[in-house]
Amino acid sequence: MASPVTAQVAAETVRDLRAASAGRDFAVYLSRKLATAIVSFAALLVVGFILFSLIPSNPVAALTRGRPTTAKQLAFLTKQLGLNLPVWERFAHFVGNTVTGNLGYSWQFQEPVATLIAQRVWPTLLLVGSATIVSVVIGMWLGIRSGWRPGTLLDRVATGTSITFWSMPTFWLGIMLLVLFASGFGPIPAIFPAGGMSTPGAPGGLTPDHILDVLRHLVLPCLTLVLVTFGQYQMVMRSSVVDELGSPYLLTARAKGLRDAEVERRHAVPNALLPSVTVIFLQIGLVISGVVTVETVYSWPGLGYLAYQALQIPDLPLLEGTFLVFSASVIFFNLVADVLYRFLDPRVRRQ
Amino acid sequence: MTTLSQAATATAPPRLQALRRFARAFLGRPTAVAGLAILVAVAALALAAPLFIHANDLDVIGATGRPMAPPSAHYPLGTDYAGRSILTLLIWGTRPSLAIGVIATALTVVLGTLIGLAAGHFGGAPSRVLMAFTDWFIALPTLVLAICLAAVLGQSDVSITIAIAVTSWPGTARLIRAQTLAVEARPFIERAKALGAGHVQLVFRQVLPNVAPLVLVSSTLTVAGAILTETTLAFLGLGNPTEVSWGAMINQALNSGAVTANAWWYVVPPGIAILIVVLGFVMVGRATEDILNPRMRARS
């Protein structure tokens, strides 16, 4: 017969063992997810190479377009760009360069693509970050309200609004907001600036004036992005709340005498939140699609506007750089979503 | 008389009966009927446009109106930067949007169905590889990929169509794979296998007819997405530069300063047109989905 002390020790050992194995499990899980991300990135490199190195028939002709060039100059350019090498060797070069951050030289800005991208990352992060936060808060709140009582007026209005905004071209919505609030329409004065990130000529730096100026420029692009994306969060949140509605634990909570609002807030919502949180990170691809057009309409000096500027030439190295950065960030956020899910959902953690 | 017609309905082939049931349910939904009415009207307008719009109405050089004039009796929706009637351009713009949307969707459906059928039918390692590839593709930022593809292929309708098809098949593939798995679990597949049916016979004669209705439903919603992508690519300047399209109209409006000039008649109509057509496809698609698969709709 075991004494209480030994029983306690045994229990603690078991708990420690469990914790250790959970830790090891997590390491296995994390390395598996990391491996998936690396394979995804490798696939991305293959697609990038096919898209920008194999499909364009003659980059030399595109580079020298309209300018008189001798056969010798053409041969030199072909050699300089490495186009005379076998395909696998060109691919090896491409992978080596990309991994070390050498994304080539922009044709129109005459600057390394990596430098250009580094300058444009922060404005995009500011826009995407602020829009995602507002959009998630509004979308989730609406989703919870409409999912808790499906079929009510609020549910129908919220779902209808989401579908209408989804059916609207993002760039047009942006232009409509420009017409309404930036150039002044009828009784509405021009409240917000029409484009850019700050008033030209104004001093920069971290002064309150400058911050306020940037915020004023941020309002319209951010609003456009929020209107286009909040519907996705609303629909995801709504369907996960609807999924929880028939659950027995809600009946138990009601039987205990909790008020309806409390059942919703303390029992249904936390459970429904889990799948939605990961979806926020998985929606990043949609947000990026929106960013390209929104930044174009508002001349917001970010990565999306850079991609648009690259399109006009077309400046293929620059376009390729923005493509790789956008797609790699999607792979990164998918990884974050996987890891976060593991932390948030105790059921997955225990498996 | 009634007994006769009842007997006729009862002896009608089961697929025809199902079609009739579907038509009744469809016509019973106001949004479905409204969506269908929009689509029929827009399609008729697109087909009839060459009858009353001539090439010189669309010509930038031969335009007769004052540039960017507000709506008047002669130009009900005003004029664009070159003095062409916005209404004429708007009607003509239905043609590229519908044509590219529908053709790109047809390509998407063929591609997605083939990949989905293969992944669902063969199973094992090939299926896992195909699905991993599909999932990887779904995660990519679609618009960015479509932009790059269209830019690399050069400005034309064909490259826009290819860019849309190449970027939008994964959704269809996933759906078809799930349905193929469900259909292949049913007893008549086992019967066909016992009778010696090969892979081609099984997939195209047994599975495909049962998956087809779902393909149709998903394609209605795919057209909506394809038209949105088409207008976005045209707006970014990737379409055929000489063609009149809604996306290109909005691009020209922005570039010719219509926004600062408050020329709302230039900017508002193309966007409303896109919205109406896309909503038409969405309304029909959602209603059809609702009828064929009520459980799915209640949850999502």
Side-chain angles (χ1 to χ4, degrees):
Chain A
M1 199 185 128
S3 73
V5 179
T6 45
Q8 200 185 344
V9 170
E12 269 169 20
T13 326
V14 168
R15 207 176 304 141
D16 284 349
L17 269 177
R18 269 203 199 126
S21 88
R24 204 163 49 238
D25 277 354
F26 182 67
V28 172
Y29 176 81
L30 192 66
S31 52
R32 213 173 48 229
K33 291 296 170 196
L34 265 176
T36 315
I38 289 168
V39 171
S40 300
F41 188 68
L44 175 66
L45 286 179
V46 175
V47 168
F49 181 70
I50 294 175
L51 205 55
F52 290 98
S53 298
L54 296 189
I55 296 183
S57 47
N58 195 348
V60 175
L63 258 179
T64 57
R65 188 181 38 177
R67 269 170 287 168
T69 1
T70 63
K72 212 171 144 199
Q73 278 173 313
L74 283 179
F76 176 73
L77 261 177
T78 309
K79 194 149 177 275
Q80 195 191 21
L81 291 173
L83 295 173
N84 53 344
L85 297 172
V87 169
W88 66 267
E89 225 171 287
R90 281 166 62 195
F91 182 63
H93 272 289
F94 166 73
V95 171
N97 281 339
T98 310
V99 171
T100 52
N102 178 3
L103 297 173
Y105 219 67
S106 158
W107 295 348
Q108 70 176 312
F109 293 99
Q110 297 295 324
E111 251 184 281
V113 170
T115 317
L116 287 167
I117 288 178
Q119 290 165 357
R120 302 293 191 96
V121 163
W122 297 109
T124 296
L125 279 180
L126 175 66
L127 177 58
V128 168
S130 57
T132 303
I133 291 170
V134 176
S135 176
V136 162
V137 169
I138 296 177
M140 293 217 153
W141 183 80
L142 272 177
I144 292 169
R145 299 259 55 141
S146 52
W148 188 243
R149 291 200 184 76
T152 52
L153 183 69
L154 179 90
D155 178 27
R156 279 188 314 230
V157 170
T159 310
T161 315
S162 307
I163 291 176
T164 310
F165 277 117
W166 182 86
S167 307
M168 220 176 257
T170 313
F171 58 92
W172 182 70
L173 181 63
I175 294 177
M176 293 322 291
L177 292 176
L178 261 183
V179 170
L180 276 180
F181 298 113
S183 45
F185 186 79
I188 306 170
I191 317 172
F192 295 109
M197 194 172 161
S198 53
T199 311
L206 273 176
T207 58
D209 276 354
H210 181 66
I211 293 174
L212 212 65
D213 189 38
V214 170
L215 283 182
R216 257 167 49 85
H217 282 79
L218 181 64
V219 171
L220 286 183
C222 182
L223 177 65
T224 315
L225 213 49
V226 166
L227 288 178
V228 177
T229 51
F230 85 92
Q232 297 288 329
Y233 304 124
Q234 187 256 333
M235 286 194 228
V236 170
M237 195 64 214
R238 176 185 182 275
S239 73
S240 44
V241 171
V242 169
D243 272 350
E244 301 292 331
L245 280 183
S247 304
Y249 72 87
L250 291 183
L251 190 69
T252 314
R254 286 208 180 87
K256 283 194 302 191
L258 288 183
R259 280 179 299 114
D260 192 57
E262 231 161 347
V263 177
E264 179 191 346
R265 190 167 49 81
R266 289 180 38 194
H267 292 269
V269 170
N271 275 302
L273 266 177
L274 289 171
S276 309
V277 168
T278 46
V279 170
I280 294 173
F281 284 89
L282 297 180
Q283 291 295 330
I284 197 79
L286 180 93
V287 177
I288 285 175
S289 295
V291 149
V292 176
T293 42
V294 168
E295 286 187 359
T296 301
V297 170
Y298 292 99
S299 329
W300 184 261
L303 286 176
Y305 189 50
L306 191 64
Y308 175 72
Q309 287 176 314
L311 268 186
Q312 303 307 306
I313 304 296
D315 184 349
L316 292 186
L318 188 55
L319 196 59
E320 180 173 15
T322 50
F323 167 74
L324 287 175
V325 169
F326 277 138
S327 308
S329 63
V330 169
I331 294 173
F332 173 73
F333 280 111
N334 279 352
L335 184 67
V336 172
D338 280 335
V339 174
L340 207 65
Y341 196 67
R342 176 94 178 184
F343 275 107
L344 288 177
D345 193 339
R347 284 165 296 190
V348 179
R349 211 158 43 209
R350 219 174 291 134
Q351 270 166 17
Chain B
M1 203 55 204
T2 29
T3 46
L4 245 177
S5 72
Q6 266 168 1
T9 341
T11 49
R15 286 232 162 93
L16 199 66
Q17 280 182 30
L19 202 66
R20 275 193 199 135
R21 259 203 313 279
F22 173 77
R24 258 200 303 279
F26 189 88
L27 293 176
R29 279 156 209 269
T31 52
V33 176
L36 192 64
I38 291 174
L39 294 187
V40 170
V42 172
L45 205 59
L47 289 175
L51 298 178
F52 53 90
I53 294 174
H54 303 288
N56 53 352
D57 293 332
L58 304 169
D59 196 2
V60 181
I61 321 277
T64 49
R66 213 156 42 79
M68 251 193 260
S72 60
H74 193 63
Y75 299 105
L77 286 176
T79 59
D80 77 340
Y81 75 100
R84 296 176 290 181
S85 162
I86 300 264
L87 184 64
T88 312
L89 297 178
L90 200 63
I91 293 173
W92 196 261
T94 48
R95 295 169 63 82
S97 285
L98 279 188
I100 294 176
V102 169
I103 294 171
T105 301
L107 286 176
T108 304
V109 166
V110 170
L111 207 61
T113 307
L114 285 180
I115 291 174
L117 279 175
H121 179 72
F122 292 108
S127 166
R128 271 204 299 280
V129 170
L130 272 179
M131 283 339 277
F133 182 61
T134 311
D135 285 344
W136 175 80
F137 227 96
I138 286 183
L140 280 187
T142 326
L143 187 68
V144 176
L145 185 60
I147 286 173
C148 292
L149 201 53
V152 167
L153 294 175
Q155 293 177 317
S156 79
D157 289 346
V158 178
S159 58
I160 284 196
T161 313
I162 292 175
I164 296 172
V166 167
T167 49
S168 53
W169 61 268
T172 312
R174 280 210 75 98
L175 192 72
I176 299 302
R177 175 181 169 269
Q179 284 299 307
T180 306
L181 288 176
V183 169
E184 293 219 345
R186 303 227 293 254
F188 69 88
I189 294 293
E190 206 178 337
R191 194 203 62 169
K193 272 188 195 150
L195 288 173
H199 287 303
V200 174
Q201 167 90 10
L202 271 179
V203 169
F204 290 104
R205 296 290 296 277
Q206 312 287 341
V207 177
L208 188 59
N210 286 287
V211 178
L214 209 79
V215 174
L216 266 177
V217 176
S218 86
S219 65
T220 332
L221 292 170
T222 310
V223 180
I227 290 180
L228 278 178
T229 313
E230 184 270 326
T231 52
T232 307
L233 294 180
F235 168 71
L236 293 173
L238 289 163
N240 176 354
T242 58
E243 194 174 66
V244 172
S245 76
W246 293 334
M249 279 172 81
I250 299 177
N251 181 9
Q252 286 157 4
L254 192 65
N255 288 337
S256 59
V259 172
T260 34
N262 258 331
W264 54 267
W265 60 89
Y266 196 174
V267 190
V268 177
I272 301 275
I274 299 168
L275 183 63
I276 288 175
V277 171
V278 171
L279 271 180
F281 279 106
V282 170
M283 279 148 91
V284 170
R286 281 177 68 96
T288 320
E289 199 176 75
D290 200 7
I291 296 164
L292 293 183
N293 199 350
R295 239 196 90 232
M296 203 161 94
R297 170 57 58 216
R299 288 158 38 97
S300 63

